[in-house]
């Protein structure tokens, strides 16, 4: 493959599928096989990462199984086991799904806060957002977004 062909491909065939709010599956690294939501997509790369990448927030450990007979208190307790993660991922290591989620994560995750002790605070706010969304899945803006949040919180079967 010639370099001119690669440049042409990169210029005209961008990864437009990976947009903010899209549910993706991480394919490589520590969180491989976990679901995440794209917060921000950087198509052309930047100074420290010279490849197209995206900022994702996902669930490292999902909520525990809930049955119909459980009380509301027990359901809340079982949803507290969720553990979020935030990281930059190469676009090639992400598998976009057909689902969208209407979680407002851009306000919760500031790019400057992803260094040091501030990342712990970001994860705490993400955990709270994920728990609230998990317990109130019915209050989605559309049926499509409700299906997306339902898919996001289900364990990946493979």
């Amino acid at each position: 493959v010639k370099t001119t062909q690669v440049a042409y491909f990169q210029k005209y065939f961008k990864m437009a599928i990976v947009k903010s709010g899209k549910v993706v599956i991480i394919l490589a690294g520590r969180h491989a096989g976990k679901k995440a939501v794209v917060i921000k997509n950087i198509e052309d790369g930047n100074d420290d990462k010279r490849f197209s990448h995206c900022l994702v927030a996902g669930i490292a450990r999902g909520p525990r199984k809930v049955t119909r007979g459980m009380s509301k208190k027990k359901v809340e307790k079982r949803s507290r086991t969720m553990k979020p993660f935030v990281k930059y991922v190469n676009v090639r290591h992400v598998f976009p799904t057909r689902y969208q989620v209407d979680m407002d994560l851009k306000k919760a995750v500031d790019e400057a806060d992803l260094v040091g002790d501030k990342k712990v605070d970001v994860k705490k706010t993400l955990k709270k957002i994920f728990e609230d969304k998990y317990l109130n899945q019915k209050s989605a803006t559309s049926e499509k977004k409700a299906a997306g949040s339902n898919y996001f919180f289900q364990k990946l079967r493979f």
Side-chain angles (χ1 to χ4, degrees):
V1 180
K2 296 179 181 175
T3 55
T4 54
Q5 289 175 329
V6 171
Y8 176 82
F9 183 80
Q10 289 175 341
K11 185 175 181 182
Y12 293 105
F13 298 98
K14 301 265 185 200
M15 290 294 289
I17 298 168
V18 182
K19 294 178 182 172
S20 63
K22 177 74 85 172
V23 178
V24 295
I25 298 170
I26 308 295
L27 298 176
R30 179 180 184 177
H31 301 291
K34 304 292 182 192
K35 294 177 189 171
V37 178
V38 176
I39 298 172
K40 185 179 179 185
N41 188 16
I42 298 106
E43 289 184 5
D44 299 326
N46 53 22
D47 294 336
D48 54 317
K49 292 180 178 70
R50 293 177 172 268
F51 48 86
S52 57
H53 56 281
C54 52
L55 178 65
V56 296
I59 301 176
R61 183 177 58 231
R64 295 180 68 193
K65 187 179 176 185
V66 175
T67 59
R68 190 177 293 160
M70 291 182 184
S71 65
K72 205 169 192 177
K73 185 178 176 184
K74 191 163 190 175
V75 170
E76 285 181 25
K77 188 176 181 182
R78 287 180 154 255
S79 70
R80 275 192 235 123
T81 62
M82 256 188 278
K83 182 181 177 185
F85 68 88
V86 182
K87 68 183 300 184
Y88 285 100
V89 182
N90 190 337
V91 174
R92 293 181 180 186
H93 300 155
V94 151
F95 182 77
T97 62
R98 63 182 175 183
Y99 296 103
Q100 290 269 345
V101 176
D102 61 343
M103 285 189 263
D104 193 25
L105 299 175
K106 281 189 178 178
K107 293 176 184 172
V109 180
D110 188 30
E111 290 182 57
D113 292 343
L114 295 179
V115 191
D117 294 336
K118 293 181 181 178
K119 193 170 184 177
V120 175
D121 297 333
V122 169
K123 285 183 183 180
K124 284 181 183 175
T125 56
L126 271 177
K127 182 175 180 174
K128 193 171 284 300
I129 291 170
F130 285 162
E131 283 177 11
D132 291 342
K133 190 65 182 176
Y134 177 70
L135 294 171
N136 303 318
Q137 286 185 46
K138 304 284 188 278
S139 63
T141 53
S142 69
E143 197 172 305
K144 191 176 181 183
K145 303 265 173 126
S149 70
N150 187 20
Y151 173 76
F152 178 66
F153 290 113
Q154 283 179 349
K155 191 174 184 180
L156 187 64
R157 308 292 296 192
F158 65 96

